Amino acid sequence: MEPHWDDLRIFLAVAREESLSAAGRRLKVDPATVGRRVGRLEAALETPLFVKSPTGYALTDAGQRLMGHAARVEQALQMASEELGGETGGLSGQIRIGAPDGSANYLLPQVCSKIANENPDLEIQIVALPRVFSLSKREADLVVAVSPPTAGRLMVQKITDYKLHLAAARWYLKSHPPITSLDDLKDHKIIGYIPDMIFDKELDYLSEIGVEKPSIGSNSVSVQINCVRIGGGVGIVHDFSLPFHKGVKKILTDQFSLTRGFYLVRHEDDKRLERLNRFSEALCNGIREEVARLEGGT
């Protein structure tokens, strides 16, 4: 018996979500139905595709091989739908973006809201997680990254540079020992990333000022700048986040500054999907404009 596309679609959802219930939520299908469809596909192919592991459903070797074929079928159907539908009007359907929480909190809400307003039939999902996303498993349709990946069948586009500086709350600076040089930082609590939870070397900011571990650490940029905002100490913050925290002030700007970059990463197989091409262009343009606007302090 030949596998049906609907069964392959469910197989892909389980493979990507590693859970029947999560796949069901993604597809708006009852988990029991998801399980039956997977069983039907395994019976049709006469081989197990998943094994139940402590963390969920893991692909077998056969499942791994099927994953590539099913993804290509999915892509072919998407391209056929675009060609038949024209895709000359507004964007539609669902697009999921994976992003580190700095860009997800301070850039993507404005950028994606504008794109969504211009495309009423488009559903945009922003997944903000402090880790690397897997495009091969389709955890996201595209990813905003802080360094260009060097492996995998991926398309990488530089979006823009952004700047970071040391900063502290204004009232904190008035009530603590003065900071006139980097050496003065030894008299202050430092806020930054938890060292063993830094998922990209470009985020290892504190090593730039000779600090091995922070006094207050978090894997979240938003938590870090909120600790700075309430006077928890000194941190290295994105310039584009400062307009959202008026009580936080950059310090030692003539002695310390970092420049990092944002990159848009997509799967190589998606290069012919016009809706993703159009969305990517709008997203990149929007991020560039928003970084320039916020770093300008407006």
Side-chain angles (χ1 to χ4, degrees):
M1 183 172 64
E2 293 292 329
H4 297 283
W5 159 242
D6 204 42
D7 291 340
L8 288 176
R9 181 174 67 96
I10 287 176
F11 161 77
L12 283 172
V14 176
R16 290 163 180 166
E17 300 290 346
E18 299 180 347
S19 159
L20 297 183
S21 57
R25 287 193 298 271
R26 181 169 181 167
L27 298 172
K28 297 181 174 59
V29 175
D30 181 79
T33 301
V34 173
R36 286 196 300 272
R37 291 292 189 86
V38 168
R40 185 170 79 176
L41 182 59
E42 289 178 326
L45 297 174
E46 299 181 345
T47 186
L49 301 172
F50 296 98
V51 291
K52 189 75 168 64
S53 72
T55 57
Y57 279 71
L59 287 168
T60 62
D61 289 342
Q64 291 279 6
R65 293 194 296 273
L66 180 61
M67 181 87 173
H69 296 295
R72 284 191 288 275
V73 172
E74 178 184 54
Q75 182 202 28
L77 288 171
Q78 288 174 343
M79 287 190 293
S81 176
E82 285 189 3
E83 290 179 8
L84 293 173
E87 279 293 348
T88 56
L91 297 171
S92 61
Q94 180 190 98
I95 294 179
R96 179 178 290 183
I97 309 166
D101 73 327
S103 60
N105 277 285
Y106 298 109
L107 299 174
L108 294 188
Q110 305 91 282
V111 174
C112 291
S113 292
K114 182 175 185 292
I115 296 173
N117 288 337
E118 294 169 350
N119 299 274
D121 295 326
L122 180 64
E123 177 189 350
I124 303 173
Q125 297 182 345
I126 302 170
V127 183
L129 290 176
R131 64 170 175 81
V132 176
F133 287 80
S134 172
L135 287 173
S136 62
K137 292 179 64 178
R138 299 296 177 171
E139 292 182 327
D141 296 297
L142 43 84
V143 167
V144 175
V146 292
S147 65
T150 56
R153 298 180 59 250
L154 303 170
M155 297 183 291
V156 182
Q157 175 184 353
K158 176 74 173 285
I159 303 174
T160 189
D161 286 328
Y162 61 93
K163 295 188 179 300
L164 304 101
H165 286 90
L166 287 160
R170 295 177 187 274
W171 71 266
Y172 173 90
L173 294 171
K174 293 177 181 178
S175 58
H176 288 76
I179 305 174
T180 59
S181 70
L182 292 175
D183 190 56
D184 292 334
L185 294 176
K186 66 180 184 298
D187 298 323
H188 295 264
K189 290 188 179 299
I190 304 298
I191 297 163
Y193 276 102
I194 301 169
D196 62 0
M197 297 188 76
I198 294 175
F199 65 92
D200 191 299
K201 60 180 176 56
E202 295 296 326
L203 302 179
D204 188 12
Y205 307 140
L206 294 186
S207 64
E208 303 276 353
I209 56 173
V211 175
E212 291 186 6
K213 59 182 180 178
S215 301
I216 303 175
S218 174
N219 65 336
S220 165
V221 166
S222 299
V223 172
Q224 291 174 36
I225 194 167
N226 276 306
C227 286
V228 172
R229 179 181 58 81
I230 65 169
V234 178
I236 297 175
V237 306
H238 301 79
D239 282 18
F240 60 69
S241 69
L242 289 173
F244 298 91
H245 303 279
K246 297 296 186 181
V248 177
K249 175 185 177 182
K250 290 191 289 188
I251 60 173
L252 303 181
T253 56
D254 59 336
Q255 299 180 44
F256 179 82
S257 176
L258 292 178
T259 299
R260 294 290 190 266
F262 284 128
Y263 299 83
L264 185 71
V265 185
R266 294 172 54 193
H267 200 283
E268 178 72 24
D269 290 343
D270 293 342
K271 63 184 176 183
R272 293 175 58 192
L273 293 177
E274 184 60 23
R275 65 191 287 271
L276 282 184
N277 291 339
R278 291 169 59 197
F279 181 84
S280 297
E281 181 179 6
L283 183 71
C284 289
N285 288 338
I287 290 175
R288 289 188 200 102
E289 292 170 3
E290 197 63 9
V291 168
R293 183 182 75 84
L294 293 172
E295 288 192 344
T298 59

